[in-house]
Amino acid sequence: MRKPLPGPSIPADGEDNARESWSRRALDALPDPVVVMDGESRILLANRRARDLLLSGSHDTEARRSAAESNFRLLSVLTSGSRPARPPCISPEELALRDPDDGSDLLFEVSVLPLHSAGGTPGGSVALLRDVTELKRKTVELEAQANRSYAAEHQAWQDSTRLNVIIENAGVPIVVTDRNRNVMLMNHEAEHLLETGPGDVRAVLPMGRDIRANEAKLAGFINDFLGEPGLRRERRLTLVDPDEAREFPAVAVSTKILDEGDEAVAVVTVVRDLTQEVENQHLAEELRKLNEELEERVGLATRALEERTVQLEAQRTELERASRMKSEFLAIMSHELRTPINAILGYNSLLRDGLFGDLGGEQSEALRRMRRAAEHLLSVINDILDLSRVEAGKMQLSVSDVDLASLFGELSDSVSPMAAQKSLAFTVEVEPGMPAVRTDEMRLRQILLNLLSNAVKFTDAGSVTLRASLAPEGDGACLEVSDTGIGIAKEKLDAIFEAFTQVDQSSTRQHGGAGLGLTISRRFIRVMGGEVTVSSVVGVGTTFRVDLPLAPPPLSGNSDVSG
Amino acid sequence: MAGGFEPDPPESEADSSHRESCRKQGKESEMTALGAGKQGVVLIVDDDEDSQYVYRVILEAARFEVMAARSGDQGLLMARARHPSAILMDVSVPGMDGWRVTELLKDDPHTADIPVIIVTAHAFPEDLRRAEGVGSDAFLTKPCEPRRVLEEVRRLLAS
């Protein structure tokens, strides 16, 4: 079914032996194997190299036989008639065989050409094998080498790119010089700072000189560094900013790069602008100075304050001393005044009691008057001392629950006789259900007695009334002493609570008393948390009103005095 | 104010014999006067002559024997030596003050039973507190009626 292709014919038997012999010898001389096979894959003709590869004898080793057989089978696959025919001499197929001699791998390119019998019928083929083992090996090697160099090149490109990126983006001038001071690499910042190319307009401007100065300074530093031992060095330089033509402080830091022999092959120099740093230093210095100034001022203020404190302390001590002296003075005064009065009253008492003999009526009367005067003197002294003590902060309260009804009863006992003497009506009114008042009973009694005495004293006709009621808010007591006496003029109402004031100085003689009672009363009432007020109409009468809280304020003095 | 004060035991034989022994030692006060001894011995510690005299007169009239000291130290010595029935103590006296003398007497078991009446011209509440603090039995402020002093002495000796 296959259409036979044109090709060489198998020589017919009985041809010229000599020619055949030459043919064989020629074939054997070929370095590449040549095999002719019939349609059944039987070898008809094989040159020396082909025989070596494909044939073996019983005398051969097992390995050789096995290799040869394997080679033959592999080749047969290509040449067998079952394979689809292919155009000759195109796309030779690669065939991997084994060298029967040493077992090494061999690679061949196999070209199979179909043969036609003398009658023109196809059958058999000629296979030309070309040993490409070495060629293939070299090709692979070359490819690998090419790959390696490509990879290396790529890596190098990547490295240098990365380095360039780093250097360009470092933001500070970086210069790399070789051992001969030639610039190998320079980033944009370094160029800006150092280089004046032929096309650089800056070179012709005045600042060009400065840029050259920058370069000279840096070159000088690197030059010195290369001439010295040590791998790293830095130097402070004053460089010029090419843009602003102003000087700025900088530091150049150079590092040597060594080869295997520890010889410097390059120097990397980084220039750092110290402007900000120096400014910061200036700022820090200014701040430090400012702090010092501030501290000094604070110190001065503190000293002033301390002095003031000492002054105040001295003042306080002085005030305390004055207060103490006042208290001591009061105590001494009290003692010194009471002692002679004690003698006066004592002798008076002894005389009146007849211990120094019997007395006539006039003598007794004189003693009685003397006694009354002494007692009045004593009460004046007591008033003065009490007032002084209140003013010296020595006032003390003895607080208890005071039943007003019973207190008023006691007062009535004292006042009624005085009122009766002047034919005055004396009435006491206590609101029903009046609660007890927590206050200093002795002081309250003194105060009310003083008010009642005054009321009787200044009333010639009518009545004196003592009244107690609950304050409208229910938290205090309202005590009133009213009379129908001479009254007090409006303009004098304010003055009656002031020390040593009586409504009419002449009345002191008429009515007695130093006028201290009201003053002391008001002080006492205020210490007890209350207030005393007065209302009066001349010729009609006067009402003194004492408002007291049901309980004293917490800071109203001591309450541990038992009377 | 004297409600809390300890009652004083009436004069005992021991007191009398003590006084006798003091007499023998020649420590009898030269101020001993009329009608002495019947009611007991009162020591007045006071440097004010008038006070001393006024209270002596009323006490002697009431048949008390009266001794007097013008200073605290003297008063302390006399109280210890004579063990009086009662003491009228002024506090502002030369030397050791009356407060201290009272305190020492009340701290001493031999004299703690003697009633001490503070009679002083110091009339402030703090003085009363102090009188209680030193252990006195009564507190009277000058001016104080002679009669009142006598009453207080009698009260303390009776109780």
Side-chain angles (χ1 to χ4, degrees):
Chain A
M1 272 159 275
R2 282 191 313 194
K3 290 279 263 189
L5 294 170
S9 305
I10 300 167
D13 291 342
E15 293 243 345
D16 182 24
N17 282 336
R19 265 172 58 195
E20 191 177 314
S21 175
W22 276 108
S23 302
R24 281 181 187 279
R25 273 158 48 196
L27 280 173
D28 282 346
L30 288 173
D32 292 326
V34 177
V35 182
V36 179
M37 284 189 248
D38 66 9
E40 275 75 42
S41 292
R42 283 191 298 260
I43 294 177
L44 300 176
L45 180 69
N47 70 351
R48 187 187 305 275
R49 184 66 187 132
R51 288 196 300 273
D52 286 346
L53 276 175
L54 305 172
L55 303 176
S56 60
S58 53
H59 58 279
D60 286 330
T61 62
E62 177 59 33
R64 186 180 160 80
R65 276 209 305 276
S66 160
E69 278 167 21
S70 168
N71 288 346
F72 176 72
R73 269 199 307 279
L74 287 168
L75 182 62
S76 303
V77 171
L78 288 182
T79 58
S80 94
S82 64
R83 281 177 55 85
R86 63 189 67 222
C89 297
I90 54 160
S91 303
E93 289 194 48
E94 283 188 350
L95 183 64
L97 301 179
R98 195 182 305 151
D99 190 335
D101 292 332
D102 57 14
S104 65
D105 288 326
L106 297 170
L107 190 68
F108 292 91
E109 277 181 11
V110 183
S111 303
V112 179
L113 299 155
L115 287 178
H116 301 273
S117 66
T121 53
S125 58
V126 58
L128 302 172
L129 285 82
R130 189 166 152 248
D131 188 346
V132 295
T133 307
E134 193 59 19
L135 186 67
K136 188 75 181 176
R137 192 180 59 78
K138 282 196 172 148
T139 305
V140 168
E141 236 172 60
L142 276 172
E143 272 176 9
Q145 206 175 337
N147 281 340
R148 274 199 303 277
S149 61
Y150 169 77
E153 196 181 330
H154 185 69
Q155 184 64 42
W157 179 81
Q158 274 191 330
D159 285 351
S160 85
T161 302
R162 202 176 293 141
L163 192 64
N164 277 336
V165 166
I166 290 169
I167 288 175
E168 275 305 330
N169 290 289
V172 294
I174 297 175
V175 183
V176 183
T177 42
D178 67 12
R179 72 181 84 188
N180 299 316
R181 288 78 166 153
N182 295 318
V183 174
M184 295 165 70
L185 187 65
M186 188 182 253
N187 68 356
H188 174 75
E189 279 81 6
E191 276 173 24
H192 183 70
L193 187 67
L194 304 171
E195 263 193 0
T196 51
D200 192 343
V201 288
R202 297 183 305 167
V204 297
L205 297 174
M207 69 181 73
R209 184 171 41 92
D210 301 322
I211 292 168
R212 282 193 296 277
N214 284 351
E215 195 181 2
K217 281 176 183 173
L218 204 63
F221 165 57
I222 294 167
N223 195 40
D224 292 347
F225 178 43
L226 276 167
E228 291 168 358
L231 292 176
R232 192 171 182 280
R233 192 169 165 197
E234 57 179 76
R235 179 185 286 180
R236 283 217 175 207
L237 301 170
T238 300
L239 300 178
V240 174
D241 184 332
D243 294 328
E244 297 173 24
R246 79 173 165 84
E247 289 194 331
F248 69 94
V251 62
V253 181
S254 287
T255 310
K256 282 177 188 162
I257 294 172
L258 304 179
D259 62 9
E260 292 90 341
D262 283 346
E263 283 293 316
V265 290
V267 174
V268 178
T269 304
V270 178
V271 178
R272 198 149 53 84
D273 186 344
L274 293 181
T275 307
Q276 196 59 44
E277 225 160 282
V278 169
E279 264 177 32
N280 286 347
Q281 273 175 8
H282 282 317
L283 278 175
E285 179 65 18
E286 269 175 43
L287 207 63
R288 196 183 56 76
K289 277 185 193 163
L290 215 63
N291 269 337
E292 274 175 10
E293 263 176 51
L294 209 64
E295 269 170 28
E296 200 177 325
R297 267 191 246 165
V298 168
L300 283 173
T302 307
R303 274 195 294 285
L305 208 64
E306 278 166 2
E307 278 168 26
R308 182 87 186 109
T309 307
V310 169
Q311 278 176 5
L312 284 172
E313 181 64 24
Q315 269 178 21
R316 195 178 63 84
T317 310
E318 181 57 32
L319 279 173
E320 277 175 2
R321 201 178 65 87
S323 168
R324 205 167 50 243
M325 277 178 68
K326 188 175 179 184
S327 293
E328 280 169 18
F329 174 75
L330 284 174
I332 291 165
M333 277 297 291
S334 169
H335 187 267
E336 293 308 307
L337 291 169
R338 282 165 185 278
T339 301
I341 290 173
N342 188 49
I344 294 166
L345 288 172
Y347 283 118
N348 185 285
S349 178
L350 294 177
L351 282 166
R352 282 191 296 121
D353 286 352
L355 281 163
F356 299 128
D358 295 335
L359 302 171
E362 287 187 1
Q363 287 170 319
S364 293
E365 178 58 19
L367 284 174
R368 201 184 61 77
R369 284 172 179 268
M370 186 202 286
R371 179 182 183 79
R372 206 176 59 193
E375 281 173 347
H376 179 64
L377 175 61
L378 179 62
S379 80
V380 171
I381 289 166
N382 282 340
D383 278 356
I384 293 171
L385 290 174
D386 271 355
L387 178 58
S388 301
R389 278 168 64 77
V390 171
E391 285 175 346
K394 286 256 175 186
M395 169 66 180
Q396 283 157 326
L397 290 181
S398 175
V399 174
S400 62
D401 284 326
V402 179
D403 178 41
L404 292 176
S406 83
L407 175 64
F408 282 14
E410 287 173 35
L411 289 168
S412 181
D413 290 346
S414 306
V415 177
S416 291
M418 291 161 32
Q421 249 182 352
K422 296 181 78 174
S423 303
L424 300 174
F426 177 62
T427 53
V428 171
E429 297 168 14
V430 178
E431 188 180 301
M434 190 71 202
V437 179
R438 216 173 148 64
T439 190
D440 186 321
E441 184 166 11
M442 188 192 80
R443 298 293 187 192
L444 184 57
R445 186 188 294 113
Q446 276 181 354
I447 289 160
L448 293 175
L449 198 57
N450 177 262
L451 291 175
L452 289 166
S453 307
N454 281 343
V456 172
K457 200 186 291 175
F458 294 107
T459 305
D460 295 325
S463 64
V464 171
T465 309
L466 173 60
R467 201 179 291 115
S469 58
L470 196 60
E473 293 81 12
D475 58 348
C478 168
L479 315 177
E480 283 177 320
V481 174
S482 304
D483 64 50
T484 56
I486 55 174
I488 305 163
K490 224 177 193 152
E491 62 272 19
K492 292 186 176 171
L493 277 178
D494 290 337
I496 61 165
F497 292 108
E498 283 170 20
F500 300 101
T501 302
Q502 258 188 359
V503 175
D504 184 349
Q505 284 297 327
S506 62
S507 73
T508 305
R509 276 187 298 280
Q510 190 189 334
H511 299 287
L516 281 169
L518 280 176
T519 308
I520 292 164
S521 292
R522 170 170 268 189
R523 299 280 165 89
F524 283 156
I525 288 164
R526 285 183 175 171
V527 171
M528 291 189 288
E531 185 55 280
V532 57
T533 50
V534 62
S535 58
S536 184
V537 177
V538 174
V540 175
T542 306
T543 296
F544 282 91
R545 176 181 162 146
V546 176
D547 285 293
L548 278 178
L550 291 181
L555 295 173
S556 62
N558 305 329
S559 57
D560 57 342
V561 180
S562 61
Chain B
M1 78 181 87
F5 289 174
E6 278 298 306
D8 190 56
E11 188 179 16
S12 64
E13 293 227 337
D15 290 320
S16 301
S17 61
H18 175 71
R19 199 158 60 239
E20 285 303 317
S21 70
C22 289
R23 279 210 186 90
K24 279 172 202 157
Q25 286 165 27
K27 294 208 172 179
E28 172 81 65
S29 167
E30 80 261 13
M31 299 291 279
T32 307
L34 50 138
K38 293 265 172 68
Q39 299 292 317
V41 179
V42 176
L43 170 63
I44 301 175
V45 182
D46 201 326
D47 65 329
D48 179 58
E49 245 177 83
D50 292 316
S51 295
Q52 211 185 85
Y53 182 72
V54 166
Y55 297 142
R56 172 192 288 276
V57 167
I58 193 89
L59 287 167
E60 285 182 349
R63 301 177 63 78
F64 282 92
E65 183 188 334
V66 176
M67 326 182 270
R70 291 180 175 278
S71 73
D73 303 68
Q74 196 190 354
L76 184 63
L77 283 173
M78 289 175 75
R80 282 177 174 163
R82 298 293 305 278
H83 203 277
S85 316
I87 299 171
L88 295 184
M89 183 74 74
D90 184 17
V91 294
S92 295
V93 287
M96 193 186 297
D97 70 25
W99 304 117
R100 183 69 186 136
V101 174
T102 305
E103 214 167 25
L104 290 172
L105 290 173
K106 289 297 178 183
D107 282 350
D108 183 349
H110 297 295
T111 52
D113 62 321
I114 305 171
V116 175
I117 304 161
I118 302 273
V119 188
T120 175
H122 291 292
F124 296 141
E126 55 264 33
D127 301 312
L128 171 63
R129 281 202 299 279
R130 202 168 170 192
E132 286 169 354
V134 297
S136 67
D137 300 81
F139 180 78
L140 299 173
T141 57
K142 294 178 185 175
C144 184
E145 290 277 344
R147 211 178 268 282
R148 177 85 188 82
V149 171
L150 178 61
E151 276 169 21
E152 201 62 26
V153 170
R154 279 179 170 155
R155 186 182 69 79
L156 286 171
L157 290 183
S159 59

